[in-house]
Amino acid sequence: MSATTHSPASTPGTGKGGATAPGGKAGTPAASELVSWKAGIGLGLLAVLGTVLFGFLANTKSAGFRIAEARDPNASSAAAWITLAVALAAAAYVGYRWISQRRDGGPLDRWIPATTIAAVVVLGLAALGVAQVEKVTVPSMVFGWICSVLLLALAGYTIWLTLQRRRTPGWVGGLFAVVFLVGFMIWIVAGGRDPEPSISLGGLMAGAVTLAVPLVFGSLSGVLCERAGVVNIAIEGQLLLGAFSAAVVATITGNVYVGLVSAAIAGALVSLVLAVVSIKYLVNQIIVGVVLNVLISGLTSFLFSTLLTADPEHLNKPGRLQPVDIPFLADIPIIGPILFRQSLVGYLMYVAVIVVYVGLFHTKWGLRVRAVGEHPQAADTVGINVNRTRFINVLMGGAIAGIGGSFFTLVSVDAFSKDMSGGRGYIALAAMIFGRWNPIGAFLAALLFGFADNLQSIITIIGSPVPSQFMAMLPYALTVIAVAGLVGRSRPPAAGGIPYVKG
């Protein structure tokens, strides 16, 4: 009997550049192909909103952005000059590759636009460090109108491309997002109660990265599972049990590193239950995930009330993983203290993003995983063990989420409390969707959620009239926009959530 699956066959894609008209450039659709108006409508509505907020409702005050001060000015100055030279060389090289590939008419490498933007951003920050700028002050009304005009121009360009039956290039959406973010930040800060309100840019970004750590681990867990065809709703439970296990084991053993390992094991145990029940016994994956979240929440709350509160000195005092400075990199102005003064869990986050991305998209193992998630019957036909692949990925995803849970008790605070994950497992799911089931995209989306979370506290401190609830809502609104496809195609793996039965 042949292998069977409940998954429909996925429709073959047209390639990363889209369909190509005869004699035309790659990425230009054929004359008969319809081009969606979603991008034009989405960017147009956001441009109108930005014009109203940043232009017509702009404050007359100036907005100040303080740069993080260096602990060692001499080391920071040397690091700034070296970073400036490296970023300038990188921007020049990547820009040359971009122009040469466009001139040759061939497809543009996918990594070039993002790398160019990153090099330019680092170049600008290094230039601020070289110039020893301590504070940047901008008039909110002038820059608000500049941002509004740029947003309208980009939205108009997108609509013009749609009328010409041409796809909107990715750089348009990226540039639109950057301009909108700049205008939004100026508008919020200028609304503070002080005559010249200001915020610490370094503190804002450092807090965003810190708050994003468990979200990144949770979203990577979701990516690993869903790329193999298993919907992992149990991320919340994996984070929570990882936090509980890290606190208890680290306290008993007196070693925070043992607690970190135990958190990974605890997350993997939750995933083992998810894998056995949903893959072997074909129970609905979403229902299993929700039940596991409720079960872990109740179990940890019961153990906390009965055991941990009765003897906290011997069961709930795990200690903390202290931040570690990476030589030279930590002295880079602005970005150094943000990225390279992290705890071990923070550095593991960077490693996990890189390893998962390279593994999924640049190894034979990753090709098999993605085949299982897209068309398990075809993968089985060529000799891939579908359910074993799903088991392994779900267990790895649980271990990664468990490490993310250890952040709560080994880095953020030094004790476990009831439901301390605070729904971040569900936020991690939203970050995974917003990142389009890609490790890099999920990492950036998690940073956006962390940024919005940290900004809530800052706008309350400076007295901005923008409600903090609006900032809490914003990332979810952007996720809905992304899933709706208003700024691009967002499609999950075709076999996600569908069990596979081999006949």
Side-chain angles (χ1 to χ4, degrees):
M1 185 180 295
S2 61
T4 59
T5 180
H6 303 286
S7 171
S10 58
T11 304
T14 57
K16 68 180 180 179
T20 305
K25 293 184 177 181
T28 303
S32 60
E33 183 179 353
L34 295 178
V35 178
S36 175
W37 277 89
K38 290 182 179 179
I41 294 174
L43 296 186
L45 293 175
L46 290 175
V48 172
L49 175 64
T51 302
V52 173
L53 295 179
F54 315 149
F56 293 105
L57 299 181
N59 200 295
T60 56
K61 293 185 290 187
S62 296
F65 300 91
R66 300 189 303 276
I67 308 300
E69 297 181 1
R71 292 190 299 182
D72 187 346
N74 294 329
S76 179
S77 178
W81 278 106
I82 296 174
T83 305
L84 181 67
V86 173
L88 182 61
Y93 171 74
V94 179
Y96 168 76
R97 288 286 301 272
W98 191 335
I99 295 173
S100 62
Q101 290 188 10
R102 284 297 188 187
R103 188 188 303 118
D104 295 339
L108 185 67
D109 292 338
R110 297 177 62 180
W111 59 270
I112 287 182
T115 306
T116 303
I117 294 173
V120 171
V121 170
V122 174
L123 181 64
L125 295 177
L128 290 176
V130 169
Q132 297 182 349
V133 176
E134 296 182 357
K135 182 179 179 181
V136 177
T137 303
V138 295
S140 62
M141 183 166 291
V142 173
F143 274 81
W145 276 111
I146 292 175
C147 292
S148 300
V149 171
L150 290 175
L151 293 175
L152 292 172
L154 290 171
Y157 178 62
T158 302
I159 295 173
W160 179 80
L161 288 177
T162 306
L163 291 174
Q164 298 296 314
R165 304 176 69 130
R166 295 164 57 188
R167 295 187 183 277
T168 303
W171 65 265
V172 174
L175 182 59
F176 188 96
V178 171
V179 174
F180 193 93
L181 179 61
V182 171
F184 187 71
M185 288 297 300
I186 294 174
W187 176 64
I188 283 183
V189 174
R193 69 172 68 91
D194 296 335
E196 189 177 294
S198 64
I199 63 172
S200 172
L201 191 61
L204 174 63
M205 296 307 300
V209 173
T210 301
L211 292 173
V213 169
L215 303 181
V216 172
F217 280 105
S219 62
L220 289 178
S221 174
V223 169
L224 280 173
C225 294
E226 296 211 15
R227 281 290 181 175
V230 179
V231 176
N232 185 7
I233 302 295
I235 297 175
E236 177 73 10
Q238 293 161 359
L239 290 174
L240 189 58
L241 191 61
F244 178 85
S245 176
V248 174
V249 174
T251 304
I252 294 175
T253 62
N255 191 318
V256 291
Y257 301 105
V258 176
L260 180 62
V261 174
S262 71
I265 296 174
L269 289 176
V270 178
S271 284
L272 179 62
V273 178
L274 172 65
V276 170
V277 176
S278 63
I279 298 175
K280 183 175 178 59
Y281 295 104
L282 309 181
V283 179
N284 185 283
Q285 297 168 7
I286 296 178
I287 294 177
V288 175
V290 173
V291 170
L292 283 174
N293 288 337
V294 176
L295 174 63
I296 298 302
S297 175
L299 178 63
T300 54
S301 297
F302 170 76
L303 294 176
F304 173 78
S305 301
T306 57
L307 296 179
L308 270 62
T309 55
D311 190 7
E313 291 296 328
H314 296 90
L315 292 175
N316 200 17
K317 291 292 183 182
R320 303 180 71 171
L321 289 168
Q322 298 300 324
V324 178
D325 290 4
I326 296 182
F328 176 74
L329 295 179
D331 293 317
I332 298 175
I334 305 174
I335 60 176
I338 297 172
L339 300 179
F340 304 113
R341 289 176 184 166
Q342 295 286 334
S343 66
L344 176 60
V345 178
Y347 293 124
L348 287 176
M349 174 185 70
Y350 302 145
V351 174
V353 171
I354 296 172
V355 170
V356 173
Y357 175 78
V358 173
L360 281 178
F361 296 103
H362 297 281
T363 65
K364 183 185 296 185
W365 167 81
L367 181 62
R368 291 177 176 177
V369 169
R370 288 182 286 126
V372 168
E374 290 292 340
H375 203 314
Q377 185 176 9
D380 192 14
T381 303
V382 298
I384 300 174
N385 191 320
V386 173
N387 286 336
R388 184 175 65 185
T389 302
R390 289 183 170 182
F391 257 95
I392 294 173
N393 268 55
V394 172
L395 291 178
M396 288 193 301
I400 288 178
I403 294 174
S406 70
F407 170 86
F408 297 112
T409 49
L410 300 183
V411 179
S412 180
V413 296
D414 58 352
F416 180 82
S417 59
K418 284 185 179 181
D419 293 324
M420 67 185 309
S421 55
R424 287 177 176 83
Y426 301 106
I427 300 176
L429 277 175
M432 177 198 67
I433 296 171
F434 190 51
R436 300 182 182 182
W437 293 267
N438 183 293
I440 303 298
F443 171 73
L444 297 176
L447 288 181
L448 174 63
F449 279 65
F451 178 83
D453 193 9
N454 195 33
L455 194 57
Q456 291 182 64
S457 303
I458 291 179
I459 63 176
T460 302
I461 294 174
I462 67 175
S464 177
V466 181
S468 60
Q469 293 81 0
F470 177 79
M471 293 305 306
M473 173 203 72
L474 185 60
Y476 299 99
L478 294 177
T479 303
V480 172
I481 292 174
V483 174
L486 294 181
V487 292
R489 185 171 63 94
S490 182
R491 184 186 69 83
I498 304 175
Y500 180 75
V501 180
K502 183 173 183 177

